[in-house]
């Protein structure tokens, strides 16, 4: 029999698996859709680096903790040295202005490459995902771009049996367990975007795996399932300096019911923004961020739990640091990530 603290950790892991998703959950994916869709790779005309940390259901022992590093960049002389989004070297006009939208035209065809490293710990289970990404962007009309992307890498799952304390230390459940595995992983996505909107579809974890962790008698403790995402966003101008950015995300992860997120961000020129989010049967979130310079931006979100865990959870915190490398036009705000 499990001791009480460990049992709580295992239950948290099971809840995370059963009611959310096998992959980590984010609130600030709306500012880094690259985490969910490889077609976003190379969408900006600079090298986009992000470092993120999320502590979910704080106050609960064994609750999920996620950290990630992501980087992606465009490839192609026509794109990086001059396209519809290429401003004069002095920085040019505010990218949120109406004239930018009026004069917008689709980007020159170009490639994008990227890399992600994500670690997620929930109770005694540690998961690490490493992936390289590639995307190709093509202007299919004068103002519409279409990108197709793929990701490929490995997923590592480790069950820390030292955290499992049993009354019977020779319990058959842990005898000869394969608790340290690497599995191949892949995903794909499509991203259509213009000057003030985007629509994307993607799939993660598409290589079927019979099990992550197995005992000697081949009983399955968990199986991988594909994760499918459909997302869209639109930019609404309240003035040349203030914009509303509503967006939504649908998640399809069998056998759990289809769920969705709804988000709203209000941006003030290219200096700072505030926003909110709603995740069905899970949480409400408040978000805020600052574009400190043409090199660094930072954002924070806090989720208020609305699920059955609300009586024992102090909510979830997420912090993201963004770095804009090779930013030759000195932009202080993304043009396509908003």
């Amino acid at each position: 029999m499990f001791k009480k603290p460990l049992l709580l950790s295992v239950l948290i892991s099971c809840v995370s698996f059963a009611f959310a998703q096998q992959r980590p959950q984010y609130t600030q994916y709306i500012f880094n859709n690259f985490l969910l869709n490889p077609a976003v790779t190379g969408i900006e005309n600079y090298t986009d680096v992000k470092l993120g940390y999320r502590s979910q259901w704080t106050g609960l022992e064994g609750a999920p903790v996620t950290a990630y590093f992501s980087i992606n960049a465009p490839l192609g002389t026509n794109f990086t040295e001059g396209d519809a989004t290429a401003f004069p070297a002095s920085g040019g006009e505010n990218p949120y202005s109406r004239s930018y939208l009026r004069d917008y035209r689709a980007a020159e065809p170009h490639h994008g490459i990227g890399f992600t490293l994500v670690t997620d710990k929930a109770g005694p289970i540690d998961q690490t995902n490493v992936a390289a990404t590639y995307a190709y962007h093509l202007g299919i009309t004068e103002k519409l771009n279409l990108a197709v992307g793929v990701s490929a890498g490995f997923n590592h799952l480790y069950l820390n049996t030292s955290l499992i304390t049993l009354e019977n230390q020779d319990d058959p459940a842990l005898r000869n367990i394969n608790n340290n595995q690497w599995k191949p992983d892949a995903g794909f996505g499509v991203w259509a975007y213009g000057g003030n909107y985007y629509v994307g579809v993607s799939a993660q974890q598409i290589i079927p795996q019979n099990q992550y962790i197995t005992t000697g008698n081949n009983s399955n403790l968990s199986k991988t399932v594909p994760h499918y995402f459909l997302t869209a966003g639109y930019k609404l101008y309240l003035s040349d300096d203030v914009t509303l950015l509503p967006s939504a995300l649908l998640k399809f992860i069998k056998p759990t019911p289809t769920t969705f997120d709804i988000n709203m961000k209000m941006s003030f020129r290219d200096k700072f923004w505030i926003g909110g989010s709603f995740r069905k049967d899970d949480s409400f979130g408040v978000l805020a961020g600052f574009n400190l310079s043409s090199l660094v931006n930072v954002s924070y979100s806090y989720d208020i739990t609305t699920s059955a865990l609300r009586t024992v959870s102090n909510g979830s915190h997420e912090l993201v640091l963004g770095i804009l490398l090779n930013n030759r036009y000195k932009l202080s705000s993304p043009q396509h990530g908003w």
Side-chain angles (χ1 to χ4, degrees):
M1 173 174 214
F2 286 117
K3 287 185 177 179
K4 202 166 186 179
L6 177 68
L7 178 59
L8 180 58
S9 295
V10 173
L11 287 175
I12 292 301
S13 300
C14 294
V15 169
S16 179
F17 175 87
F19 296 104
Q21 53 192 42
Q22 293 171 339
R23 291 296 180 89
Q25 181 167 267
Y26 310 97
T27 296
Q28 297 192 54
Y29 68 87
I30 50 178
F31 314 119
N32 191 17
N33 275 292
F34 175 56
L35 289 171
L36 303 182
N37 194 323
V40 178
T41 306
I43 197 170
E44 303 290 351
N45 58 4
Y46 53 81
T47 300
D48 188 13
V49 179
K50 284 190 171 62
L51 298 166
Y53 176 83
R54 178 178 175 85
S55 178
Q56 188 161 316
W57 303 331
T58 57
L60 215 54
E61 183 181 355
V65 175
T66 305
Y68 72 83
F69 165 80
S70 71
I71 181 171
N72 71 93
L75 294 177
T77 301
N78 289 339
F79 179 68
T80 57
E81 292 188 1
D83 72 325
T85 63
F87 296 140
S90 62
E93 191 173 10
N94 169 25
Y96 284 110
S97 69
R98 293 178 186 273
S99 61
Y100 164 75
L101 178 61
R102 183 185 63 240
D103 299 334
Y104 178 86
R105 62 182 175 85
E108 293 289 338
H110 67 281
H111 309 272
I113 57 172
F115 173 81
T116 60
L117 171 62
V118 181
T119 65
D120 187 57
K121 178 176 175 60
I125 299 176
D126 288 305
Q127 184 174 204
T128 301
N129 184 267
V130 180
T133 66
Y134 167 81
Y136 183 71
H137 298 253
L138 178 67
I140 58 175
T141 71
E142 188 175 296
K143 295 184 179 292
L144 174 64
N145 306 272
L146 183 67
V148 178
V150 294
S151 66
F154 296 93
N155 196 63
H156 177 252
L157 196 78
Y158 173 66
L159 176 63
N160 189 348
T161 55
S162 67
L163 296 179
I164 301 178
T165 303
L166 305 173
E167 287 189 349
N168 176 12
Q169 293 301 322
D170 193 33
D171 194 297
L174 294 182
R175 190 181 302 159
N176 300 320
I177 193 170
N178 185 359
N179 67 326
N180 194 341
Q181 297 191 38
W182 285 93
K183 299 284 187 178
D185 187 45
F188 68 88
V190 178
W191 197 260
Y193 61 98
N196 63 337
Y197 65 90
Y198 64 82
V199 179
V201 294
S202 62
Q204 293 184 338
Q205 205 166 261
I206 62 174
I207 299 178
Q209 302 290 346
N210 290 331
Q211 62 263 340
Y212 273 153
I213 302 171
T214 60
T215 60
N217 60 5
N218 290 323
S219 63
N220 295 333
L221 297 183
S222 60
K223 294 184 178 181
T224 63
V225 295
H227 292 40
Y228 300 102
F229 305 97
L230 171 62
T231 187
Y234 192 80
K235 183 188 297 185
L236 299 169
Y237 288 85
L238 299 184
S239 71
D240 280 350
D241 295 329
V242 181
T243 54
L244 284 179
L245 306 167
S247 63
L249 173 72
L250 279 173
K251 305 177 193 176
F252 307 91
I253 308 170
K254 291 183 177 180
T256 60
T258 299
T259 186
F260 62 85
D261 295 10
I262 299 175
N263 314 286
M264 178 68 76
K265 169 186 172 184
M266 177 178 286
S267 178
F268 300 88
R269 204 173 173 91
D270 57 354
K271 300 302 181 183
F272 67 95
W273 52 264
I274 57 174
S277 69
F278 167 75
R279 181 175 294 119
K280 181 179 181 290
D281 299 326
D282 185 77
S283 65
F284 288 96
V286 291
L287 309 89
F290 295 87
N291 300 314
L292 302 178
S293 69
S294 61
L295 177 64
V296 176
N297 56 59
V298 62
S299 56
Y300 168 79
S301 63
Y302 174 71
D303 295 351
I304 303 167
T305 306
T306 60
S307 69
L309 292 173
R310 66 184 178 274
T311 58
V312 289
S313 166
N314 295 327
S316 303
H317 302 268
E318 189 172 329
L319 183 67
V320 178
L321 173 69
I323 303 173
L324 289 63
L325 301 178
N326 301 322
N327 185 8
R328 93 183 266 254
Y329 301 106
K330 306 301 180 184
L331 301 177
S332 57
S333 177
Q335 294 174 315
H336 298 297
W338 302 341

